[in-house]
Amino acid sequence: MFPSHVTMPLWHEKHLRAATRAAGVALWSWNVDTDAITMDEAAYDLWEVSKDERIITFEILSKNIHPADLERVRSAFAATRAVVGSYEIDFRILTGSDIRWISARGQGDDADIADRTMFGIFLDVTQRKQAEEANELLAGEMSHRLKNLLTIATALTRMSSRSAASKEDMAQELTSRLIALGRAQDLVRPVPGRNREGTLLGDLISVLLAPYDEKGASVRIRVSVPKMNVGEASSTALALVMHELATNSAKYGALSLSSGTLDVSCNAHEDEVLVKWTERGGPPVVAPAKLEGFGSKLVHRSMAAQLGGAITFDWSEEGLVVILRMSKVRLAS
């Protein structure tokens, strides 16, 4: 609040224009009788609408609105005059191959209407929406990892109890497995600020699977891959995928039983690397009705985005077989 003796600053149009440009604010007005929309230059640029279109309608703008948001925005636009007080709606628009988030804000219920025209602003809130989506993804991943960690701890405890002759042996075996699990987690989430060179594919897989090996069961887990370097960026993605497969196997698959075995083999071609994950001797295989859980999405996203490949599942009666196809160039980066 300004003291009573202080004169309020006078805002000229050029000052307001400078402020809206600095804030990235685009202006619009809407004639409630004709439905004609008028926009300033910033709004034309935001929507990527030709400036030859002097009178804009909702139908013209709707061509750029994301199909999934169109009906929601259309309904909100039609109901604007019934809204009491200020309103705000966020939606996506398509600009070429990019998706941008727009926030439309104004005053409903004919408040401050002038010459049958309502006024409002558009804001580009893409960065805020992307940050929110990233935070949601991170929260989901952390929740998923916590659940996986509890599942793994239970599975490792069960494995240790099967082979231990005494509680002291069980404590020692469980401790060694948890230490191995910690090494595996270091591969999934490298320590920030620590330089790390690429590792060998066989070493990466062996360290990740070491916690699940049974004492005295020398052939329970077999890793047979050619000598091949895995880059720092790709090793994180591959470790995520292997970690997810191992967790599921320890909970539902071959690694959940002492009789179960796991073979991991690899073939390298000119521009592609194939890793085959083969489970045998586990409980009866039941293919899930849907692969839409967070873990499944994480695996598919890691394979496509970071490793330039794909993952396929074969739920055969003998046991699960998973094929990882990866770009040789991506794997080395």
Side-chain angles (χ1 to χ4, degrees), residues 4 51 73 94 99 106 118 145 207 228 255 257 275 292:
S4 58
K51 294 183 176 64
V73 177
L94 303 173
I99 296 177
M118 300 176 67
R145 285 181 176 278
V207 169
M228 182 184 308
L255 296 181
L257 299 180
V275 173
E292 296 180 352

Side-chain angles (χ1 to χ4, degrees), residues 115-193:
D115 297 326
R116 307 298 294 160
T117 302
M118 300 176 67
F119 300 89
I121 65 169
F122 293 127
L123 286 175
D124 187 337
V125 293
T126 303
Q127 290 186 340
R128 172 170 66 82
K129 287 292 185 179
Q130 289 175 342
E132 290 174 357
E133 291 172 356
N135 287 336
E136 290 177 4
L137 179 63
L138 179 60
E141 183 175 343
M142 290 181 66
S143 175
H144 179 73
R145 285 181 176 278
L146 178 58
K147 291 178 181 177
N148 272 358
L149 187 59
L150 294 174
T151 298
I152 292 169
T154 301
L156 296 184
T157 302
R158 186 171 60 248
M159 291 177 190
S160 300
S161 66
R162 284 200 297 257
S163 57
S166 65
K167 63 180 181 181
E168 288 79 11
D169 288 342
M170 177 179 171
Q172 184 176 357
E173 287 184 29
L174 182 57
T175 299
S176 63
R177 284 188 168 122
L178 290 174
I179 291 173
L181 180 62
R183 291 199 299 269
Q185 289 296 312
D186 286 340
L187 293 175
V188 178
R189 280 287 181 268
V191 177

Side-chain angles (χ1 to χ4, degrees), residues 71-318:
E71 290 308 314
R72 178 172 61 87
V73 177
R74 189 191 305 276
S75 298
F77 180 76
T80 296
R81 296 187 66 188
V83 176
V84 177
S86 61
Y87 65 85
E88 176 180 349
I89 181 172
D90 296 348
F91 54 91
R92 291 164 291 180
I93 65 172
L94 303 173
T95 56
S97 59
D98 295 330
I99 296 177
R100 299 165 73 181
W101 277 93
I102 303 299
S103 180
R105 305 178 185 182
Q107 189 79 13
D109 196 31
D110 287 356
D112 299 326
I113 194 169
D115 297 326
R116 307 298 294 160
T117 302
M118 300 176 67
F119 300 89
I121 65 169
F122 293 127
L123 286 175
D124 187 337
V125 293
T126 303
Q127 290 186 340
R128 172 170 66 82
K129 287 292 185 179
Q130 289 175 342
E132 290 174 357
E133 291 172 356
N135 287 336
E136 290 177 4
L137 179 63
L138 179 60
E141 183 175 343
M142 290 181 66
S143 175
H144 179 73
R145 285 181 176 278
L146 178 58
K147 291 178 181 177
N148 272 358
L149 187 59
L150 294 174
T151 298
I152 292 169
T154 301
L156 296 184
T157 302
R158 186 171 60 248
M159 291 177 190
S160 300
S161 66
R162 284 200 297 257
S163 57
S166 65
K167 63 180 181 181
E168 288 79 11
D169 288 342
M170 177 179 171
Q172 184 176 357
E173 287 184 29
L174 182 57
T175 299
S176 63
R177 284 188 168 122
L178 290 174
I179 291 173
L181 180 62
R183 291 199 299 269
Q185 289 296 312
D186 286 340
L187 293 175
V188 178
R189 280 287 181 268
V191 177
R194 180 186 299 173
N195 293 328
R196 189 187 68 185
E197 298 178 356
T199 187
L200 292 177
L201 177 61
D203 292 344
L204 173 67
I205 297 174
S206 297
V207 169
L208 287 167
L209 298 180
Y212 304 94
D213 218 352
E214 293 272 5
K215 182 179 180 181
S218 59
V219 294
R220 174 174 168 80
I221 297 178
R222 294 180 289 260
V223 178
S224 177
V225 300
K227 189 174 182 179
M228 182 184 308
N229 282 323
V230 181
E232 179 177 348
S234 58
S235 65
T236 301
L238 184 57
L240 280 168
V241 175
M242 287 288 174
H243 192 275
E244 188 67 25
L245 293 177
T247 300
N248 290 336
S249 182
K251 189 173 183 180
Y252 308 109
L255 296 181
S256 67
L257 299 180
S258 59
S259 59
T261 62
L262 170 64
D263 285 279
V264 181
S265 58
C266 174
N267 288 316
H269 303 286
E270 184 175 345
D271 56 359
E272 187 179 53
V273 176
L274 273 68
V275 173
K276 186 176 182 181
W277 172 289
T278 306
E279 298 185 26
R280 292 293 183 263
V285 175
V286 178
K290 295 181 179 180
L291 289 173
E292 296 180 352
F294 185 86
S296 178
K297 293 178 181 178
L298 184 65
V299 164
H300 284 282
R301 183 169 56 249
S302 297
M303 289 299 301
Q306 274 93 24
L307 298 171
I311 183 169
T312 57
F313 296 84
D314 178 11
W315 307 93
S316 64
E317 293 183 0
E318 295 81 8

Side-chain angles (χ1 to χ4, degrees), residues 314-329:
D314 178 11
W315 307 93
S316 64
E317 293 183 0
E318 295 81 8
L320 173 65
V321 177
V322 183
I323 302 296
L324 309 177
R325 295 180 178 273
M326 297 167 285
S327 163
K328 199 171 186 178
V329 173

Side-chain angles (χ1 to χ4, degrees), residues 43-69:
Y44 276 92
D45 293 338
L46 184 62
W47 283 86
E48 292 192 353
V49 174
S50 171
K51 294 183 176 64
D52 294 333
E53 300 277 2
R54 304 312 303 173
I55 302 299
I56 304 296
T57 64
F58 178 81
E59 294 307 317
I60 291 176
L61 295 182
S62 69
K63 297 175 183 178
N64 288 25
I65 298 175
H66 194 288
D69 294 344

